[in-house]
Amino acid sequence: METLILFCVMFILSPGVWTWRTVLWVAVGWIVGISLGMLCCIYVATLHENDLWFSNIKEVEREISFRTECGLYYSYYKQMLRAPSIQQGLSELINDNATESMRTINLLQRMNIYQEVVLGVLYRILPVQAYLEPVYFYIYTVFSLQAVYVIALFITSWLLSGSWLAGALTGVWYILNRVDTTRVEFTISLRENWSLPFFALQIAAITCYLRPHLKPIQQKVVLWLMFLATLCFCLTWQFNQFILLVQALIIFTLDCLDLISTEQVTCLYLVQVSSLLCVWLLQFCNSMILGSLALSFIVAALFVKHFQRGLKTGGLAARLGKLLLHTVLVLALTITINYLAKQALQLRSDEHIFKFIKSKFGLGPTRDFDASLYLCEEAFGLLPLDTFDRLAGTLLAYPYLVTLIVLLVMLALVTLANLCDSSAVGRPLKGRCEARPICMRADVAYNLLHTVFFGLLAFSTMRMKYLWTGHMCAFAAYGVCGKELWSLCLNMIHCNTKTKFWPKLMTEVSELREFYDPDTVELMTWISSKTPKKAVFAGSMQLLAGIKLCTGRVLTNHPHYEDRALRERTKQVYQIYAQQSPEEVHGILRAAGADFVVMEDSICYERRHGRGCRLRDLLDLANGHIMDGPGDNDPDLVHASHPRFCESIKTDGPAYTALFTRVFQNKTFHVYKLKRGKKRAKADREPVAMKDKTQ
């Protein structure tokens, strides 16, 4: 898929008139772009190997290195490989009863794991099994996508500037700013590492589509490439709808400012809609997609645009009034459509995201458990200021800011001219540019608004910076190498830094470490050898994902949080870290079907977060209890009538031993088996060995 898209874009980039000089120049450009992509791929693969000594550690240690939800996703790739046949593997994913206890779910509907399915199928049918282990086939595929990512950014800056030198600068900046542009080397299976390369390809296709002088056949080819890239992006990440919403807002702004044609607006919207609907079908009619804000907004924008014909006529004041009315109508219709869709579909799967957004900006309850789980994580906080110090240290921030300021001024002037010139309505954009001293190409305008919108998103939420910083490299490279801005940028930037980048890169790739987590290895080994294969485990989402991957045991909950019932169950299971009675906790765990519960000292005695953001504090607040330790408490909170469960169970008091039996213990983990009444499940008839270790 990626190869097809890249070769088609190569065709679009080809000059109209071929000479030996242009052939050589374009060929050198593509060699440089592909080389930079491969260099980035090798770079992150080397960092991953050096950080974990991945080639020399045991298989269980390799699997443990897939932390949190990464392990959950990788387990489905492993499941596809272990199935007797491809058909049986797909059937097990569609009718899965091993991920959530006492429930049968369709994983292809619930989660974005088609990439694991495709890789599992490819590994089974391709002749690579003799010389490439399954885990390496998986991680090398993800690292190869980084090459695609860099090449897509290379193409974008080449299209904007007209020179592949800008693409080369983009690739160099992307690699030098690796800390802020990607985290693939230690979060391999995260959905964003699969989807962002396709998102970059989509941006390159949009940039190409908005270029002037494209022939009709080229426009059709680019639209199909755009659709394929958008489809792959949406299919590989559950947050696709929110990213497409931001992109739809960019298209809407370009339309309102009269910077792109009506035909282009309609085509871009339809590509987004068709991609979302295809994903809806592939995910077995996932209602979360039909109830997405992105789909509601696009439908509302197209509907209002169709009936509000005189939007771009009249003087400045009249047009501003019409634009304001147009915006209000679109937003009101969006909210109405989205509300009706969610009511009709009984959709509540994504409500935790809106709770998080409301709480983040002080518009919602501050003690909501789901929202607090996000708000207390550093990744969902504001973008740290040291990010800009790192970007400035590689000479990226300075040309980026200069380019941004200059183009924003140009955009303001062009927008004012468009709104004041009522005679320009219906005139081709190319004709307007020829008649005015200041003009902005549609592709440049799109990329300008793209970096502004996603920059604001990155400022508000640090985890979203990876949507911004990669494109930031391409945008800054255009500013340096583009014909319109290069002279101004070079005059204002004094490239006299003493930072030596090459020694820094060589230090990173030569630093050797080793994966070392003996307590988790011991836990996984014990679970695999001493518990029934159908045993159900309760615990933290992050740990349970690893248990699913390493042992194949059934879980009560997991990190894929896009399901309301699962969020409720997770909150209940987490009562093991709250101030609850043993009878209450036992009843909760039995209701979830748990046979064993794993408690972690790192959570029970957490120190990573401050007071009010520790998991036990979030649970106390949700339960209306006063938090541990010195500090203020809300006046409506009360003292709990029971001690903290995760601490008190270690005392082996009669109330606890009557319901729980300790079966495993080391310095980090404590595993307890739940006792039952006279009725015992088949799984409990299998012996469970007792293993005690002193701390």
Side-chain angles (χ1 to χ4, degrees), residues 372-634:
S372 299
L373 276 180
Y374 286 104
L375 289 171
C376 286
E377 289 296 328
E378 183 182 2
F380 292 93
L382 298 176
L383 188 68
L385 294 178
D386 61 356
T387 304
F388 301 98
D389 293 333
R390 291 193 298 271
L391 297 176
T394 58
L395 299 178
L396 173 59
Y398 304 120
Y400 173 79
L401 290 174
V402 171
T403 305
L404 183 64
I405 292 170
V406 171
L407 288 180
L408 283 175
V409 172
M410 288 180 60
L411 178 66
L413 295 174
V414 171
T415 299
L416 185 62
N418 287 344
L419 294 177
C420 292
D421 188 5
S422 58
S423 63
V425 177
R427 192 193 308 169
L429 296 176
K430 177 184 174 183
R432 292 186 222 169
C433 288
E434 292 175 351
R436 294 175 182 171
I438 299 178
C439 188
M440 179 172 286
R441 300 194 329 251
D443 56 337
V444 175
Y446 171 82
N447 280 274
L448 172 61
L449 291 183
H450 182 99
T451 195
V452 169
F453 277 61
F454 282 97
L456 293 174
L457 184 63
F459 272 88
S460 66
T461 307
M462 186 183 74
R463 185 176 178 180
M464 297 293 107
K465 73 175 181 179
Y466 301 104
L467 289 161
W468 175 55
T469 47
H471 183 265
M472 183 183 183
C473 298
F475 188 78
Y478 158 66
V480 173
C481 301
K483 297 177 181 178
E484 302 93 337
L485 300 168
W486 69 269
S487 57
L488 178 61
C489 290
L490 292 179
N491 288 333
M492 296 184 66
I493 299 172
H494 302 286
C495 298
N496 55 359
T497 178
K498 296 181 180 180
T499 304
K500 300 186 181 300
F501 302 121
W502 182 251
K504 179 183 175 182
L505 293 179
M506 294 307 297
T507 301
E508 284 185 336
V509 298
S510 61
E511 185 177 0
L512 303 179
R513 301 176 185 176
E514 181 181 357
F515 177 86
Y516 185 73
D517 191 353
D519 290 346
T520 307
V521 171
E522 185 182 24
L523 173 67
M524 298 302 177
T525 303
W526 179 84
I527 292 174
S528 297
S529 60
K530 303 296 183 180
T531 64
K533 292 184 178 180
K534 296 296 183 181
V536 179
F537 277 78
S540 70
M541 296 184 289
Q542 295 80 3
L543 178 64
L544 290 183
I547 290 176
K548 167 72 174 169
L549 169 59
C550 298
T551 71
R553 299 305 187 262
V554 184
L555 314 178
T556 57
N557 52 299
H558 53 78
H560 196 275
Y561 220 47
E562 278 63 55
D563 180 75
R564 184 170 181 266
L566 179 66
R567 292 195 296 271
E568 290 295 331
R569 177 183 278 191
T570 298
K571 182 180 176 182
Q572 290 300 309
V573 170
Y574 276 8
Q575 296 302 313
I576 60 178
Y577 297 109
Q579 301 177 80
Q580 297 284 7
S581 67
E583 295 79 12
E584 178 71 18
V585 173
H586 185 272
I588 289 172
L589 296 177
R590 288 301 310 125
D595 299 311
F596 298 87
V597 58
V598 186
M599 279 173 279
E600 304 165 65
D601 286 346
S602 60
I603 298 179
C604 190
Y605 308 106
E606 182 181 359
R607 296 179 181 178
R608 184 168 66 95
H609 293 110
R611 187 175 185 269
C613 266
R614 300 169 298 190
L615 179 59
R616 61 180 187 267
D617 297 336
L618 302 183
L619 291 163
D620 289 342
L621 291 172
N623 295 335
H625 296 157
I626 291 175
M627 296 181 290
D628 292 342
D632 297 331
N633 290 281
D634 292 342

Side-chain angles (χ1 to χ4, degrees), residues 178-194:
R178 188 262 314 164
V179 173
D180 295 300
T181 54
T182 183
R183 51 180 178 164
V184 67
E185 73 274 10
F186 62 90
T187 59
I188 294 174
S189 302
L190 276 190
R191 304 297 83 178
E192 66 190 50
N193 294 327
W194 289 92

Side-chain angles (χ1 to χ4, degrees), residues 21 40 87 95 107 156 191 213 218 235 255 278 299 322-323 387 406 409 421 458 521 547 581 602 618 628 651 694:
R21 181 177 297 179
C40 181
Q87 293 80 2
N95 302 281
L107 291 170
T156 300
R191 304 297 83 178
H213 314 300
Q218 292 175 326
L235 195 60
D255 184 30
C278 286
V299 171
K322 290 179 181 179
L323 282 178
T387 304
V406 171
V409 172
D421 188 5
V521 171
I547 290 176
S581 67
S602 60
L618 302 183
D628 292 342
T651 64
T694 57

